Amino acid sequence: MAAPAMQQPSYLLANLKMDSTTKPFLQCCQELVKVIDDYPAKELHLIFPWLVESVFGSLDGVIVGWNLGFLQACSNRYNIVMDFLNPRYGPMMKLVYKLQAEEYKYEIPVSFLPGPVKVSIQEGVLPDCPLLNNKLHFPLSGLQTLSLALNPFEYYMFMFASSLITPKVTIVLMFSLDSAYFVLVDTYLKYFLPTEGSVPPSPFTYKRSSVSPPSPRAPSVPFAGYGIHSTSLLKRHISHQPSVTADPAAQEIWRSEALLQVFVEMWLHHYSLEIYQKLQSPQVKEPFTPTEEHVLVVRLLVKHLHAFSCSLKPEQVSSSAHSHTSPLEELKRVVVHRFVQQKLYVFLQHCFGHWPLDASFRVVLETWLSYIQPWRYTGEKTNPQTDQNKGVPEKWLNKCVCSENLLMYTKLFQGFLNRVVRTDLVNVKNALMVFRVAKVFAQPNLSEMIQKGEQLFLEPEHVLHHRQHRCFLSPGHGDSFLSARQPVVTDRVFRVKSHVYGLEGQDCQYKQMFGTELRGTLNAGQLSQLMATLGSGQDDGNSKQLPDCVQGENGLILTDLGRMQVINGLRRFEIEYQGDPELQPIRSYENAILVRLFFKISSLVNERFGGHMDALCSRPDFLGQLGRHYLASPEAAADGRRRSPETRLTAEGYRRPRLSLRMLASYRTLLMLLLLYLFGALFSFGPMSSTLLILTGGFLYGLLSRPVRR
């Protein structure tokens, strides 16, 4: 590379683009390191968007980037990439801080934001998302071309988070847990949200004081949560101008809060709470569908936030010490409830209702189980053998973890039950998921904690009348948690009601997890019937037992119990041919030429004499009985037992009286006729005499074996 003074910024960018396509990857990274060290921020500013896009890919998926989600540790590039993007000493983060000191801004089109945020902004309403405060850029062309003006750190994290959910134009390999992207997410979380110590300071100092964490809300500006009437976008934008006197203590963790907001918004905020409350149906299709890789990263985020929150010092847990805590400790205290709970609940509800009924649901299930068991991530070393049946630790019994997350335990459990009754539990992987959930909810003390939370929610409404003037800050109404320190509400009844009504709406009909209504959905009558069916099926060899059905207008219809019997392999329909017997596939024991020949002959006879056959079989006398015996199909003459469902009209059409000669095309029948003719020849009977004797014998056999009416 030439000296910095010899090149113009545009020439530098052109050179880097050319080098990226012609030189080896290692050499390109080495030259980028030199450029970042030698060039001033004014020139680096022009290459930053290109470099970030080259690493993480473009927002439209056309540029794939370095494919971090599919870069394995065995690759030669792996260590180079991890060193380049390391948050502590990596050149990329050094570039970010270098540009951050100069307060450069980079635009992100609003069209690439999550659906609910994008729609809200385009409708002229600013959502309650701290990440958007003071960052909307208003073009002259109107709201449809809005963009966000992000600082270098926010832009870098936005592109990093977006690369997980951006559909790629090209087909790539499978994502794995040891990929560079997954490891980087874990590294960034541990660095900017540390469980021990504080966030390392930035290596660069800011030249201006306006680079600060999100500014506090103006007290007169109402919140604009989903379903709440909001002020216009322009008025709210003006009201959210940055404060001149920013909290100096907030400088310590502004990067932590920015990273958390970006991750939560980009990975979880794809389903609006308003749509969820109005359209709680599995048939509702929304434009975004999460992948297994996406959910795996969300679980990693949930696990780390639990570990981050559980690392709060014991003396800082109580709200009385609220004003004396450091910003990082205060973030630990509110991070899960304020930032994650609402969006994760709606995200999981959507997954529970729309995820395919297969074993891939395990990633969603484990994410849910990780969230409802925060005590697993305290960092305390335990003995797995002694801790297996220990249950919820004693120090968690007095906490509000169940009451403040009541719907996470109860509503999602009900959603899981709805999936179970429609899942193939014969599959070992599906059965294992049921076992996992049963094992978690069977932990000692957990059911008591959930019941206490439900009892708090079911407290009479009049108890809360004298508290209506108190404001409870719901998860959706969160700005920077340092911006407006609200008095903590200690009343657990008020908190659990606010949690439920905030997520489900004021008119929600809560179904108790341990109530009779929920028990009535897998009830005692069905259970006893299922057990009786299982016993009878085992006694009968499970060969002649049909699933539980009701006779409908067009045939048999499976009941809910019958569906469970089929899904779990307790009973089944006999798979047999239900069409026209004359049109069955030619068997291996039949002669194909004779089958086709006899079909043509019988079809001509049936077409010409069909009316006479119907009249003959409908007679109640002796001739009618003979006609029904020889002309009716074997299915009609059988005992009427039906082993699989078929429509009534189809069955009646196939069972009209007709002549069938197909049995004469069977090799077994042909061999028997040949033996009879040979036997007749031994007694000097000619072919005509043998034929007459065979027909006479067949007639007498049918006459004696016909059913007799009493």
Side-chain angles (χ1 to χ4, degrees):
M1 282 290 178
M6 298 297 294
Q7 292 184 339
Q8 297 297 323
S10 59
Y11 184 60
L12 172 63
L13 179 59
N15 270 357
L16 291 175
K17 288 183 178 180
M18 182 178 297
D19 291 345
S20 65
T21 59
T22 59
K23 294 183 178 180
F25 183 76
L26 176 59
Q27 185 177 352
C28 290
C29 291
Q30 291 173 344
E31 293 185 357
L32 283 172
V33 172
K34 191 174 186 301
V35 168
I36 293 172
D37 289 337
D38 295 344
Y39 282 80
K42 183 178 180 180
E43 300 181 9
L44 296 175
H45 162 62
L46 298 176
I47 71 168
F48 182 63
W50 167 82
L51 180 56
V52 173
E53 196 173 70
S54 300
V55 175
F56 302 130
S58 59
L59 293 174
D60 56 8
V62 176
I63 301 176
V64 179
W66 288 359
N67 267 335
L68 300 180
F70 316 97
L71 185 62
Q72 306 295 324
C74 58
S75 173
N76 295 330
R77 291 188 174 191
Y78 182 84
N79 291 330
I80 302 173
V81 170
M82 297 303 294
D83 290 339
F84 191 83
L85 302 179
N86 188 280
R88 185 180 301 275
Y89 56 80
M92 194 68 175
M93 197 58 66
K94 181 179 180 180
L95 172 61
V96 170
Y97 292 142
K98 202 170 183 178
L99 297 174
Q100 188 77 33
E102 301 294 333
E103 299 185 7
Y104 287 110
K105 300 294 183 181
Y106 302 91
E107 292 189 355
I108 296 289
V110 169
S111 59
F112 292 107
L113 293 177
V117 181
K118 175 177 61 179
V119 172
S120 182
I121 292 177
Q122 291 176 347
E123 291 177 352
V125 178
L126 182 65
D128 279 307
C129 175
L131 183 65
L132 306 181
N133 292 349
N134 315 310
K135 296 180 177 65
L136 279 176
H137 175 65
F138 291 83
L140 298 177
S141 56
L143 295 178
Q144 297 299 323
T145 57
L146 279 174
S147 61
L148 295 181
L150 304 179
N151 64 43
F153 183 83
E154 294 168 336
Y155 179 81
Y156 175 83
M157 289 302 171
F158 183 94
M159 296 295 289
F160 174 72
S162 298
S163 64
L164 174 67
I165 60 176
T166 300
K168 300 297 188 294
V169 175
T170 58
I171 304 299
V172 288
L173 302 176
M174 291 297 295
F175 184 96
S176 63
L177 296 181
D178 60 347
S179 66
Y181 189 89
F182 198 85
V183 175
L184 278 173
V185 171
D186 187 55
T187 303
Y188 288 160
L189 288 173
K190 291 178 178 177
Y191 184 81
F192 293 107
L193 297 169
T195 56
E196 297 180 359
S198 59
V199 182
S202 170
F204 289 86
T205 57
Y206 305 125
K207 293 184 178 180
R208 304 177 182 87
S209 60
S210 60
V211 179
S212 60
S215 57
R217 291 185 181 273
S220 60
V221 179
F223 292 113
Y226 291 105
I228 303 177
H229 179 70
S230 307
T231 56
S232 69
L233 180 62
L234 183 60
K235 289 182 179 179
R236 297 197 60 200
H237 178 74
I238 295 175
S239 302
H240 283 78
Q241 295 301 320
S243 176
V244 179
T245 59
D247 188 356
Q251 293 283 359
E252 176 188 345
I253 61 163
W254 75 266
R255 291 171 298 162
S256 305
E257 193 175 355
L259 173 136
L260 181 59
Q261 291 171 356
V262 170
F263 284 3
V264 170
E265 290 298 319
M266 298 307 298
W267 294 342
L268 296 178
H269 198 184
H270 293 275
Y271 313 104
S272 66
L273 183 61
E274 181 182 19
I275 293 179
Y276 162 71
Q277 292 176 348
K278 292 181 179 179
L279 304 174
Q280 298 187 46
S281 170
Q283 284 72 36
V284 177
K285 301 295 182 184
E286 297 196 51
F288 182 81
T289 302
T291 61
E292 290 186 58
E293 296 80 17
H294 181 181
V295 181
L296 283 171
V297 174
V298 169
R299 186 185 181 220
L300 178 63
L301 173 66
V302 169
K303 291 168 63 176
H304 182 79
L305 292 183
H306 274 325
F308 178 70
S309 179
C310 292
S311 66
L312 183 65
K313 298 176 182 178
E315 61 271 14
Q316 307 287 3
V317 175
S318 63
S319 59
S320 59
H322 179 76
S323 59
H324 305 289
T325 60
S326 68
L328 185 63
E329 295 298 312
E330 187 173 347
L331 177 61
K332 292 179 180 180
R333 188 177 60 83
V334 300
V335 61
V336 176
H337 178 74
R338 185 76 57 84
F339 288 91
V340 179
Q341 185 197 62
Q342 181 194 69
K343 296 181 177 66
L344 180 63
Y345 174 74
V346 179
F347 179 84
L348 290 177
Q349 277 281 28
H350 186 275
C351 290
F352 273 56
H354 294 79
W355 200 275
L357 293 172
D358 55 26
S360 65
F361 183 72
R362 179 71 182 269
V363 294
V364 179
L365 184 76
E366 294 297 338
T367 302
W368 171 48
L369 297 181
S370 294
Y371 182 86
I372 64 175
Q373 298 180 92
W375 48 85
R376 293 176 52 193
Y377 309 101
T378 58
E380 300 176 357
K381 295 182 179 180
T382 57
N383 187 350
Q385 295 181 350
T386 59
D387 190 61
Q388 184 176 6
N389 298 321
K390 185 178 179 180
V392 182
E394 185 176 354
K395 67 178 182 179
W396 286 85
L397 299 180
N398 295 327
K399 294 185 177 182
C400 304
V401 59
C402 284
S403 59
E404 293 183 354
N405 296 277
L406 184 62
L407 294 177
M408 285 288 192
Y409 291 89
T410 59
K411 190 69 179 292
L412 290 181
F413 180 79
Q414 297 168 22
F416 176 73
L417 291 182
N418 291 333
R419 288 185 61 89
V420 168
V421 298
R422 296 179 287 124
T423 303
D424 178 15
L425 297 182
V426 177
N427 187 303
V428 177
K429 294 181 179 179
N430 293 337
L432 180 60
M433 287 191 284
V434 179
F435 172 76
R436 286 281 295 120
V437 174
K439 185 177 180 181
V440 169
F441 280 87
Q443 294 180 89
N445 305 324
L446 181 57
S447 59
E448 289 79 1
M449 294 172 64
I450 297 175
Q451 285 180 309
K452 288 181 181 178
E454 290 189 324
Q455 291 172 0
L456 291 174
F457 174 74
L458 297 175
E459 286 286 334
E461 290 292 334
H462 65 80
V463 177
L464 298 178
H465 288 344
H466 68 284
R467 304 190 187 97
Q468 293 301 319
H469 65 282
R470 303 168 69 179
C471 175
F472 180 77
L473 194 61
S474 66
H477 295 165
D479 204 323
S480 171
F481 68 95
L482 295 174
S483 60
R485 296 185 174 180
Q486 303 289 343
V488 179
V489 180
T490 58
D491 192 328
R492 294 187 177 184
V493 176
F494 187 76
R495 291 162 76 174
V496 69
K497 287 181 179 290
S498 299
H499 159 70
V500 175
Y501 292 139
L503 293 179
E504 293 291 327
Q506 295 289 335
D507 56 347
C508 73
Q509 299 294 327
Y510 181 77
K511 186 184 296 185
Q512 297 184 57
M513 183 173 177
F514 300 98
T516 56
E517 185 178 2
L518 181 60
R519 293 178 185 271
T521 59
L522 296 171
N523 57 29
Q526 287 181 324
L527 182 60
S528 60
Q529 187 177 1
L530 181 62
M531 296 304 295
T533 302
L534 177 60
S536 62
Q538 292 174 342
D539 295 338
D540 198 25
N542 206 20
S543 59
K544 299 182 180 179
Q545 290 290 323
L546 287 181
D548 190 65
C549 302
V550 294
Q551 183 66 47
E553 182 178 355
N554 293 323
L556 297 178
I557 300 177
L558 279 173
T559 63
D560 292 338
L561 177 61
R563 293 189 184 93
M564 294 178 60
Q565 292 169 342
V566 173
I567 289 175
N568 295 290
L570 300 178
R571 291 186 180 181
R572 62 185 177 87
F573 288 107
E574 292 290 340
I575 306 300
E576 58 184 18
Y577 184 77
Q578 294 289 340
D580 189 344
E582 296 297 306
L583 298 178
Q584 295 184 62
I586 297 176
R587 315 296 185 182
S588 60
Y589 54 82
E590 293 177 324
N591 184 281
I593 297 177
L594 293 179
V595 168
R596 297 186 180 98
L597 176 62
F598 289 142
F599 174 73
K600 292 181 180 179
I601 296 174
S602 59
S603 297
L604 290 175
V605 174
N606 292 330
E607 183 178 355
R608 185 169 183 178
F609 300 103
H612 298 286
M613 294 180 185
D614 289 337
L616 176 63
C617 293
S618 61
R619 294 177 58 170
D621 54 9
F622 175 75
L623 292 178
Q625 294 182 26
L626 288 179
R628 286 191 292 272
H629 178 75
Y630 286 107
L631 298 178
S633 61
E635 289 82 0
D639 58 359
R641 184 174 56 208
R642 303 174 66 181
R643 297 187 177 183
S644 61
E646 60 179 337
T647 62
R648 179 178 300 173
L649 295 178
T650 302
E652 291 176 355
Y654 295 154
R655 296 176 181 179
R656 293 183 59 187
R658 69 174 98 185
L659 176 66
S660 177
L661 302 176
R662 182 162 179 168
M663 61 176 300
L664 298 178
S666 170
Y667 290 118
R668 180 180 179 182
T669 304
L670 293 175
L671 179 60
M672 184 178 298
L673 290 176
L674 179 60
L675 293 176
L676 289 175
Y677 278 109
L678 291 176
F679 185 77
L682 293 176
F683 292 92
S684 302
F685 286 104
M688 295 299 296
S689 302
S690 298
T691 303
L692 182 61
L693 288 175
I694 292 173
L695 292 176
T696 304
F699 177 78
L700 293 175
Y701 174 79
L703 185 64
L704 296 176
S705 62
R706 65 180 176 84
V708 180
R709 286 189 179 181
R710 296 183 181 276

Short mmCIF file of all heavy atoms in Angstrom, two decimals, residues 628-662:
data_model
loop_
_atom_site.label_atom_id
_atom_site.label_comp_id
_atom_site.label_asym_id
_atom_site.label_seq_id
_atom_site.Cartn_x
_atom_site.Cartn_y
_atom_site.Cartn_z
N ARG A 628 -78.26 -63.03 -6.40
CA ARG A 628 -77.41 -62.26 -5.48
C ARG A 628 -76.13 -63.01 -5.13
O ARG A 628 -75.09 -62.41 -4.89
CB ARG A 628 -78.20 -61.91 -4.22
CG ARG A 628 -79.25 -60.83 -4.45
CD ARG A 628 -79.82 -60.35 -3.12
NE ARG A 628 -80.61 -61.40 -2.47
CZ ARG A 628 -81.91 -61.61 -2.68
NH1 ARG A 628 -82.55 -60.84 -3.57
NH2 ARG A 628 -82.56 -62.55 -2.05
N HIS A 629 -76.20 -64.35 -5.12
CA HIS A 629 -75.03 -65.13 -4.75
C HIS A 629 -73.99 -65.14 -5.87
O HIS A 629 -72.79 -65.01 -5.62
CB HIS A 629 -75.44 -66.57 -4.42
CG HIS A 629 -74.27 -67.45 -4.09
ND1 HIS A 629 -73.60 -67.38 -2.89
CD2 HIS A 629 -73.65 -68.43 -4.82
CE1 HIS A 629 -72.62 -68.27 -2.88
NE2 HIS A 629 -72.64 -68.93 -4.05
N TYR A 630 -74.45 -65.27 -7.11
CA TYR A 630 -73.51 -65.40 -8.22
C TYR A 630 -73.12 -64.07 -8.85
O TYR A 630 -72.04 -63.96 -9.44
CB TYR A 630 -74.11 -66.31 -9.29
CG TYR A 630 -74.12 -67.77 -8.90
CD1 TYR A 630 -75.31 -68.41 -8.56
CD2 TYR A 630 -72.93 -68.50 -8.88
CE1 TYR A 630 -75.32 -69.75 -8.21
CE2 TYR A 630 -72.94 -69.84 -8.52
CZ TYR A 630 -74.13 -70.46 -8.19
OH TYR A 630 -74.13 -71.78 -7.83
N LEU A 631 -73.98 -63.08 -8.77
CA LEU A 631 -73.72 -61.82 -9.47
C LEU A 631 -73.23 -60.70 -8.55
O LEU A 631 -72.66 -59.73 -9.04
CB LEU A 631 -74.99 -61.35 -10.19
CG LEU A 631 -75.52 -62.30 -11.27
CD1 LEU A 631 -76.80 -61.74 -11.88
CD2 LEU A 631 -74.45 -62.52 -12.36
N ALA A 632 -73.47 -60.81 -7.26
CA ALA A 632 -73.01 -59.76 -6.35
C ALA A 632 -71.51 -59.88 -6.14
O ALA A 632 -70.94 -60.97 -6.21
CB ALA A 632 -73.74 -59.85 -5.01
N SER A 633 -70.83 -58.70 -5.86
CA SER A 633 -69.38 -58.72 -5.64
C SER A 633 -69.06 -59.35 -4.30
O SER A 633 -69.91 -59.42 -3.41
CB SER A 633 -68.84 -57.28 -5.66
OG SER A 633 -69.43 -56.52 -4.62
N PRO A 634 -67.86 -59.88 -4.11
CA PRO A 634 -67.50 -60.52 -2.84
C PRO A 634 -67.63 -59.57 -1.65
O PRO A 634 -67.97 -60.00 -0.56
CB PRO A 634 -66.04 -60.93 -3.07
CG PRO A 634 -65.88 -61.03 -4.55
CD PRO A 634 -66.79 -60.00 -5.12
N GLU A 635 -67.37 -58.23 -1.86
CA GLU A 635 -67.47 -57.31 -0.73
C GLU A 635 -68.91 -57.20 -0.22
O GLU A 635 -69.17 -57.10 0.97
CB GLU A 635 -66.96 -55.92 -1.14
CG GLU A 635 -65.45 -55.85 -1.33
CD GLU A 635 -65.03 -56.37 -2.70
OE1 GLU A 635 -65.92 -56.76 -3.48
OE2 GLU A 635 -63.82 -56.41 -2.96
N ALA A 636 -69.88 -57.24 -1.18
CA ALA A 636 -71.27 -57.12 -0.77
C ALA A 636 -71.76 -58.37 -0.08
O ALA A 636 -72.66 -58.32 0.75
CB ALA A 636 -72.15 -56.83 -2.00
N ALA A 637 -71.18 -59.52 -0.44
CA ALA A 637 -71.61 -60.78 0.17
C ALA A 637 -70.90 -61.06 1.47
O ALA A 637 -71.22 -62.02 2.14
CB ALA A 637 -71.36 -61.92 -0.82
N ALA A 638 -69.91 -60.26 1.80
CA ALA A 638 -69.15 -60.48 3.03
C ALA A 638 -69.95 -60.01 4.22
O ALA A 638 -71.12 -59.63 4.11
CB ALA A 638 -67.79 -59.78 2.95
N ASP A 639 -69.32 -60.01 5.36
CA ASP A 639 -70.04 -59.68 6.59
C ASP A 639 -70.24 -58.19 6.78
O ASP A 639 -70.73 -57.76 7.81
CB ASP A 639 -69.32 -60.26 7.81
CG ASP A 639 -67.89 -59.74 7.92
OD1 ASP A 639 -67.47 -58.95 7.04
OD2 ASP A 639 -67.20 -60.13 8.88
N GLY A 640 -69.81 -57.39 5.82
CA GLY A 640 -70.06 -55.95 5.91
C GLY A 640 -69.04 -55.21 6.74
O GLY A 640 -69.20 -54.02 6.97
N ARG A 641 -68.02 -55.86 7.20
CA ARG A 641 -67.03 -55.18 8.04
C ARG A 641 -66.18 -54.28 7.17
O ARG A 641 -65.60 -54.72 6.17
CB ARG A 641 -66.17 -56.21 8.75
CG ARG A 641 -65.17 -55.58 9.72
CD ARG A 641 -64.45 -56.65 10.49
NE ARG A 641 -63.81 -57.59 9.58
CZ ARG A 641 -63.57 -58.85 9.87
NH1 ARG A 641 -63.96 -59.35 11.03
NH2 ARG A 641 -62.96 -59.64 9.00
N ARG A 642 -66.05 -53.02 7.56
CA ARG A 642 -65.29 -52.05 6.77
C ARG A 642 -64.01 -51.73 7.51
O ARG A 642 -64.01 -51.37 8.67
CB ARG A 642 -66.13 -50.80 6.58
CG ARG A 642 -67.44 -51.08 5.93
CD ARG A 642 -68.31 -49.85 5.87
NE ARG A 642 -67.73 -48.85 5.00
CZ ARG A 642 -68.28 -47.66 4.79
NH1 ARG A 642 -69.41 -47.36 5.39
NH2 ARG A 642 -67.72 -46.80 3.99
N ARG A 643 -62.91 -51.87 6.80
CA ARG A 643 -61.60 -51.70 7.44
C ARG A 643 -60.92 -50.39 7.08
O ARG A 643 -59.85 -50.10 7.55
CB ARG A 643 -60.69 -52.87 7.05
CG ARG A 643 -61.22 -54.21 7.55
CD ARG A 643 -60.24 -55.30 7.31
NE ARG A 643 -60.71 -56.57 7.84
CZ ARG A 643 -60.01 -57.69 7.81
NH1 ARG A 643 -58.82 -57.70 7.26
NH2 ARG A 643 -60.51 -58.80 8.31
N SER A 644 -61.47 -49.63 6.20
CA SER A 644 -60.93 -48.32 5.88
C SER A 644 -62.05 -47.45 5.35
O SER A 644 -63.04 -47.95 4.81
CB SER A 644 -59.79 -48.43 4.85
OG SER A 644 -60.26 -48.99 3.65
N PRO A 645 -61.92 -46.11 5.50
CA PRO A 645 -63.02 -45.22 5.12
C PRO A 645 -63.14 -45.10 3.60
O PRO A 645 -62.16 -45.07 2.88
CB PRO A 645 -62.62 -43.89 5.75
CG PRO A 645 -61.14 -43.95 5.86
CD PRO A 645 -60.80 -45.38 6.11
N GLU A 646 -64.39 -45.04 3.13
CA GLU A 646 -64.67 -44.79 1.72
C GLU A 646 -66.03 -44.13 1.64
O GLU A 646 -66.88 -44.29 2.52
CB GLU A 646 -64.65 -46.07 0.89
CG GLU A 646 -65.67 -47.10 1.34
CD GLU A 646 -65.64 -48.34 0.47
OE1 GLU A 646 -65.20 -48.24 -0.67
OE2 GLU A 646 -66.08 -49.40 0.94
N THR A 647 -66.23 -43.36 0.58
CA THR A 647 -67.50 -42.66 0.45
C THR A 647 -68.62 -43.64 0.14
O THR A 647 -68.42 -44.67 -0.51
CB THR A 647 -67.41 -41.61 -0.67
OG1 THR A 647 -67.15 -42.28 -1.90
CG2 THR A 647 -66.31 -40.62 -0.39
N ARG A 648 -69.83 -43.30 0.58
CA ARG A 648 -70.96 -44.21 0.42
C ARG A 648 -71.36 -44.35 -1.04
O ARG A 648 -71.65 -45.44 -1.53
CB ARG A 648 -72.14 -43.67 1.23
CG ARG A 648 -73.38 -44.51 1.13
CD ARG A 648 -74.47 -43.94 2.00
NE ARG A 648 -74.06 -43.90 3.40
CZ ARG A 648 -74.76 -43.32 4.36
NH1 ARG A 648 -75.89 -42.71 4.07
NH2 ARG A 648 -74.33 -43.32 5.60
N LEU A 649 -71.33 -43.23 -1.79
CA LEU A 649 -71.71 -43.29 -3.19
C LEU A 649 -70.75 -44.15 -4.00
O LEU A 649 -71.15 -44.91 -4.88
CB LEU A 649 -71.75 -41.87 -3.77
CG LEU A 649 -72.82 -40.95 -3.18
CD1 LEU A 649 -72.72 -39.56 -3.80
CD2 LEU A 649 -74.22 -41.53 -3.40
N THR A 650 -69.45 -44.02 -3.68
CA THR A 650 -68.46 -44.83 -4.38
C THR A 650 -68.66 -46.30 -4.10
O THR A 650 -68.61 -47.16 -4.99
CB THR A 650 -67.04 -44.41 -3.97
OG1 THR A 650 -66.88 -43.03 -4.26
CG2 THR A 650 -65.99 -45.20 -4.73
N ALA A 651 -68.92 -46.65 -2.83
CA ALA A 651 -69.10 -48.05 -2.46
C ALA A 651 -70.33 -48.65 -3.13
O ALA A 651 -70.32 -49.78 -3.61
CB ALA A 651 -69.21 -48.17 -0.94
N GLU A 652 -71.43 -47.86 -3.17
CA GLU A 652 -72.64 -48.38 -3.79
C GLU A 652 -72.45 -48.61 -5.28
O GLU A 652 -72.98 -49.55 -5.87
CB GLU A 652 -73.80 -47.41 -3.53
CG GLU A 652 -74.23 -47.37 -2.07
CD GLU A 652 -75.32 -46.33 -1.84
OE1 GLU A 652 -75.63 -45.60 -2.81
OE2 GLU A 652 -75.84 -46.25 -0.71
N GLY A 653 -71.68 -47.74 -5.93
CA GLY A 653 -71.45 -47.89 -7.36
C GLY A 653 -70.66 -49.14 -7.69
O GLY A 653 -70.88 -49.78 -8.73
N TYR A 654 -69.73 -49.51 -6.81
CA TYR A 654 -68.91 -50.68 -7.06
C TYR A 654 -69.63 -51.98 -6.71
O TYR A 654 -69.16 -53.05 -7.11
CB TYR A 654 -67.61 -50.59 -6.26
CG TYR A 654 -66.72 -49.45 -6.69
CD1 TYR A 654 -65.82 -48.89 -5.79
CD2 TYR A 654 -66.78 -48.93 -7.98
CE1 TYR A 654 -64.99 -47.86 -6.18
CE2 TYR A 654 -65.96 -47.89 -8.36
CZ TYR A 654 -65.06 -47.35 -7.46
OH TYR A 654 -64.25 -46.33 -7.84
N ARG A 655 -70.72 -51.93 -5.96
CA ARG A 655 -71.35 -53.16 -5.48
C ARG A 655 -72.68 -53.47 -6.17
O ARG A 655 -73.51 -54.20 -5.64
CB ARG A 655 -71.54 -53.06 -3.96
CG ARG A 655 -70.20 -52.97 -3.24
CD ARG A 655 -70.35 -52.76 -1.76
NE ARG A 655 -69.03 -52.67 -1.13
CZ ARG A 655 -68.83 -52.46 0.18
NH1 ARG A 655 -69.88 -52.32 0.97
NH2 ARG A 655 -67.62 -52.38 0.67
N ARG A 656 -72.90 -52.92 -7.31
CA ARG A 656 -74.10 -53.28 -8.09
C ARG A 656 -73.92 -54.68 -8.67
O ARG A 656 -72.80 -55.12 -8.94
CB ARG A 656 -74.29 -52.27 -9.22
CG ARG A 656 -74.64 -50.88 -8.73
CD ARG A 656 -74.89 -49.97 -9.91
NE ARG A 656 -75.99 -50.48 -10.74
CZ ARG A 656 -76.33 -49.96 -11.91
NH1 ARG A 656 -75.65 -48.93 -12.39
NH2 ARG A 656 -77.34 -50.47 -12.59
N PRO A 657 -74.99 -55.44 -8.87
CA PRO A 657 -74.88 -56.80 -9.43
C PRO A 657 -74.22 -56.76 -10.80
O PRO A 657 -74.58 -55.95 -11.67
CB PRO A 657 -76.33 -57.26 -9.52
CG PRO A 657 -77.06 -56.43 -8.52
CD PRO A 657 -76.38 -55.10 -8.51
N ARG A 658 -73.27 -57.65 -11.01
CA ARG A 658 -72.58 -57.73 -12.29
C ARG A 658 -71.93 -59.10 -12.43
O ARG A 658 -71.70 -59.79 -11.44
CB ARG A 658 -71.54 -56.63 -12.39
CG ARG A 658 -70.38 -56.83 -11.43
CD ARG A 658 -69.31 -55.80 -11.68
NE ARG A 658 -69.42 -54.71 -10.74
CZ ARG A 658 -68.67 -53.63 -10.79
NH1 ARG A 658 -67.83 -53.49 -11.79
NH2 ARG A 658 -68.76 -52.70 -9.89
N LEU A 659 -71.63 -59.43 -13.67
CA LEU A 659 -70.92 -60.68 -13.95
C LEU A 659 -69.42 -60.42 -13.90
O LEU A 659 -68.93 -59.46 -14.51
CB LEU A 659 -71.31 -61.21 -15.33
CG LEU A 659 -70.57 -62.47 -15.81
CD1 LEU A 659 -70.92 -63.66 -14.92
CD2 LEU A 659 -70.88 -62.76 -17.27
N SER A 660 -68.69 -61.27 -13.19
CA SER A 660 -67.24 -61.14 -13.09
C SER A 660 -66.59 -62.46 -13.47
O SER A 660 -66.88 -63.52 -12.90
CB SER A 660 -66.83 -60.76 -11.66
OG SER A 660 -65.43 -60.70 -11.55
N LEU A 661 -65.74 -62.41 -14.50
CA LEU A 661 -65.02 -63.59 -14.99
C LEU A 661 -63.54 -63.56 -14.64
O LEU A 661 -62.77 -64.39 -15.13
CB LEU A 661 -65.18 -63.71 -16.52
CG LEU A 661 -66.62 -63.80 -17.03
CD1 LEU A 661 -66.62 -63.81 -18.55
CD2 LEU A 661 -67.31 -65.04 -16.48
N ARG A 662 -63.13 -62.60 -13.78
CA ARG A 662 -61.70 -62.42 -13.54
C ARG A 662 -61.09 -63.62 -12.81
O ARG A 662 -59.91 -63.91 -12.99
CB ARG A 662 -61.49 -61.13 -12.73
CG ARG A 662 -60.01 -60.85 -12.47
CD ARG A 662 -59.76 -59.43 -12.08
NE ARG A 662 -58.35 -59.22 -11.82
CZ ARG A 662 -57.78 -58.03 -11.68
NH1 ARG A 662 -58.52 -56.93 -11.80
NH2 ARG A 662 -56.50 -57.91 -11.43
#
